[in-house]
Amino acid sequence: MVFSSPIFVFAFLPILLAVYSVTPRGLSNLVLLAASLVFYAWGEPIFVLLMLGSVGANYLFGLAISSSSVTPESKRIALFAAILTNLLILTNYKYFGFLAENLAELSGGAIDFRALAPERMPLGISFFTFQAMSYVIDLYRGVCPAVRNPLDLALYISLFPQLVAGPIVCYGDVAQELKDRRVTFTLFSAGVRRFIQGLGKKVLIANVLSVTADQVFDAAPDSLGASQAWCGLVCYALQIYYDFSGYSDMAVGLGLMFGFHFIENFNAPYSARSLTDFWRRWHISLSHWFRDYLYIPLGGNRGSAFRTYANLFTVFFFCGLWHGASWNFVLWGLFHGTFLVLERAGLGGVLERLPVLAGHVYMLFVVLLSWVLFRAPDVTSAWTFYKSLFFGGLRIDLAASPIGYANLLTRMVLVVAVACCVPWDVLSARLVVRSRALLETRIGRLLAASSNVGGACLYCAILITSLVGLTAATHNPFIYFRF
């Protein structure tokens, strides 16, 4: 079950909101926990036991780490055991098959454990494992107190709004709200608006663009012209942004509906002017996790330049591997790591002296090229696609042109998608400041009221159109579903 599925929008969420609204505050966590387990078990009835086992293990490790009667050495051992347990769970279900396949190839088939690899990967295992690890590490650092009620930890790890695709939430950020939170009308309405915004991104933009992206990437490599390949790549770049940011918006909105404030996961990443800036804006919760729990412990940028570069490469090697058990993802991570090192080594200073537009063009070009590795099924396919991008030539026949793959609806959505990538709120900040005097007048208040009415109508239109699209859709992919 995902947020953009009819069963969630028309059944699960309305029923839960109705039950939650009449639930005493003392039982609200229990209701949310039960709902979260039902949400997870809907698609993973067996693996819900694995998640509960992870909760139980990290709860016990947390008690050991925070116990005042335990020696510092024992606390370090408990922390090491907790991290190792979490990584073993993640490795077994997500990376065992990848490791076994490469080991079999290196040994010429003499060592072959591929038959022992799990057939399926638990839903959202990368997300709830990283949250569990952040909990025990923060306990060891003294950042947050240990959870005494195991149900609170279970809710933190399994909370359905951010369970499947994040954002990755540190325990300290929601610890107080797990104990005491209030859902006001203002908070709830903000959550509804945010959910609708995310649903519109997913259904009305990402789903439409995915059709063209899939057609291009699934086509025979030698049949792609350059214009066609670039069209498919741009569609995919926008699809993955609106797919993932839309899901994050829905997660943040659902959190607000139940009184939780989650970290923002995106901040107009395609408006960045460097790769460094891009990673401050893209999948922010993951960037923060790797910064706080890997990059800084490795030494960050406190050592020599060589050590800093090595730390960056290490972080982005694991960042790529986190996204998937494939050499494509590893190369994708190292690709980004290479440009981040180049920017730290001097390219960043050059970009700052260039016009802003030059930085945007550079960033978009590099990010677009990296998405080929992310989308292609293997390294060979990625290389072939790169050749189509730069050496595919110009083709004038209809079937080989972007028009053959992008119909009128897709081209209209492309225009809207590109326009919505621009942070208009930031660009219009000066205009807002200059208009403040007008807003304080009676005419200004009237204009603001009419704007609110117009905004409400717009959200209703997005919701209705999205729901119609959901009920009629035969193509409703979710890219980050597998992570």
Side-chain angles (χ1 to χ4, degrees):
M1 189 192 322
V2 294
F3 301 156
S4 57
S5 63
I7 187 66
F8 180 85
V9 175
F10 293 112
F12 182 88
L13 183 57
I15 293 173
L16 175 58
L17 288 173
V19 173
Y20 191 82
S21 65
V22 297
T23 299
R25 290 181 61 188
L27 298 177
S28 59
N29 279 1
L30 189 60
V31 169
L32 271 185
L33 175 59
S36 298
L37 295 179
V38 169
F39 177 87
Y40 192 80
W42 191 272
E44 304 285 3
I46 299 298
F47 290 132
V48 70
L49 299 177
L50 173 68
M51 186 173 63
L52 290 175
S54 173
V55 170
N58 285 284
Y59 175 74
L60 295 176
F61 284 129
L63 292 180
I65 292 172
S66 61
S67 175
S68 58
S69 61
V70 175
T71 64
E73 182 64 24
S74 297
K75 290 185 178 183
R76 284 193 292 271
I77 293 174
L79 175 65
F80 175 79
I83 294 175
L84 182 62
T85 299
N86 284 294
L87 290 179
L88 285 175
I89 293 173
L90 185 60
T91 301
N92 178 65
Y93 285 100
K94 189 168 183 177
Y95 302 108
F96 186 89
F98 174 65
L99 295 173
E101 181 178 351
N102 283 275
L103 184 60
E105 290 183 2
L106 289 174
S107 65
I111 305 175
D112 194 346
F113 297 110
R114 286 176 289 186
L116 301 178
E119 295 182 0
R120 292 192 302 138
M121 184 178 69
L123 182 68
I125 187 171
S126 298
F127 290 94
F128 73 72
T129 300
F130 267 35
Q131 290 202 173
M133 290 174 63
S134 71
Y135 167 70
V136 293
I137 294 173
D138 284 350
L139 280 184
Y140 181 79
R141 293 174 173 176
V143 174
C144 63
V147 178
R148 298 303 172 185
N149 185 349
L151 295 181
D152 287 347
L153 184 63
L155 179 59
Y156 160 66
I157 291 178
S158 68
L159 190 59
F160 79 89
Q162 43 80 55
L163 171 63
V164 176
I168 300 171
V169 180
C170 294
Y171 178 76
D173 295 336
V174 294
Q176 184 58 41
E177 291 175 341
L178 283 170
K179 297 177 182 179
D180 181 32
R181 61 186 180 276
R182 295 179 182 274
V183 182
T184 63
F185 176 79
T186 301
L187 194 66
F188 184 83
S189 60
V192 171
R193 290 194 301 272
R194 193 64 180 273
F195 182 85
I196 293 173
Q197 175 183 321
L199 186 65
K201 283 184 178 181
K202 174 70 180 72
V203 177
L204 303 181
I205 298 181
N207 284 4
V208 174
L209 298 179
S210 70
V211 176
T212 298
D214 290 348
Q215 286 178 336
V216 171
F217 275 93
D218 294 342
D222 56 358
S223 68
L224 292 176
S227 58
Q228 187 177 344
W230 280 105
C231 174
L233 181 56
V234 170
C235 284
Y236 180 72
L238 292 169
Q239 176 204 352
I240 193 172
Y241 169 60
Y242 284 101
D243 186 275
F244 193 19
S245 69
Y247 210 91
S248 294
D249 285 343
M250 287 187 276
V252 171
L254 288 168
L256 292 173
M257 292 184 204
F258 295 100
F260 291 96
H261 294 79
F262 299 148
I263 183 176
E264 293 293 339
N265 222 12
F266 291 89
N267 180 21
Y270 288 150
S271 68
R273 57 179 299 186
S274 67
L275 261 291
T276 303
D277 190 22
F278 175 83
W279 278 102
R280 294 191 188 107
R281 298 166 176 269
W282 178 276
H283 206 342
I284 298 171
S285 63
L286 181 66
S287 300
H288 286 184
W289 197 99
F290 275 112
R291 180 198 64 192
D292 295 340
Y293 301 109
L294 184 58
Y295 181 69
I296 292 177
L298 286 174
N301 55 4
R302 297 189 300 274
S304 64
F306 176 80
R307 179 65 180 274
T308 299
Y309 303 156
N311 292 341
L312 281 172
F313 271 117
T314 301
V315 166
F316 275 86
F317 169 83
F318 285 107
C319 179
L321 200 59
W322 180 89
H323 282 85
S326 164
W327 286 114
N328 275 43
F329 291 110
V330 173
L331 292 174
W332 174 81
L334 294 177
F335 185 90
H336 278 268
T338 299
F339 279 93
L340 289 171
V341 167
L342 290 174
E343 289 180 11
R344 184 172 286 273
L347 178 59
V350 174
L351 291 172
E352 289 180 358
R353 292 190 293 272
L354 291 175
V356 173
L357 180 60
H360 289 318
V361 172
Y362 152 79
M363 179 279 303
L364 287 173
F365 182 72
V366 173
V367 171
L368 281 173
L369 292 184
S370 74
W371 287 136
V372 175
L373 290 167
F374 203 92
R375 176 59 177 79
D378 50 57
V379 176
T380 302
S381 299
W383 174 247
T384 305
F385 198 91
Y386 282 128
K387 289 194 292 185
S388 296
L389 288 174
F390 296 104
F391 307 106
L394 298 176
R395 303 184 179 182
I396 59 175
D397 56 305
L398 183 63
S401 71
I403 300 175
Y405 284 77
N407 56 26
L408 178 60
L409 174 62
T410 303
R411 281 175 277 165
M412 291 173 60
V413 171
L414 268 173
V415 173
V416 173
V418 171
C420 291
C421 284
V422 178
W424 296 108
D425 55 335
V426 176
L427 296 178
S428 61
R430 292 183 179 180
L431 180 62
V432 170
V433 171
R434 293 173 182 175
S435 303
R436 187 170 297 166
L438 173 63
L439 292 175
E440 292 174 354
T441 66
R442 181 175 300 179
I443 297 177
R445 288 193 294 270
L446 180 60
L447 290 173
S450 63
S451 176
N452 290 336
V453 172
C457 293
L458 177 61
Y459 277 106
C460 288
I462 294 174
L463 177 61
I464 293 171
T465 309
S466 299
L467 294 179
V468 171
L470 277 183
T471 56
T474 57
H475 189 68
N476 187 30
F478 176 46
I479 295 175
Y480 273 69
F481 191 78
R482 57 184 169 177
F483 303 137

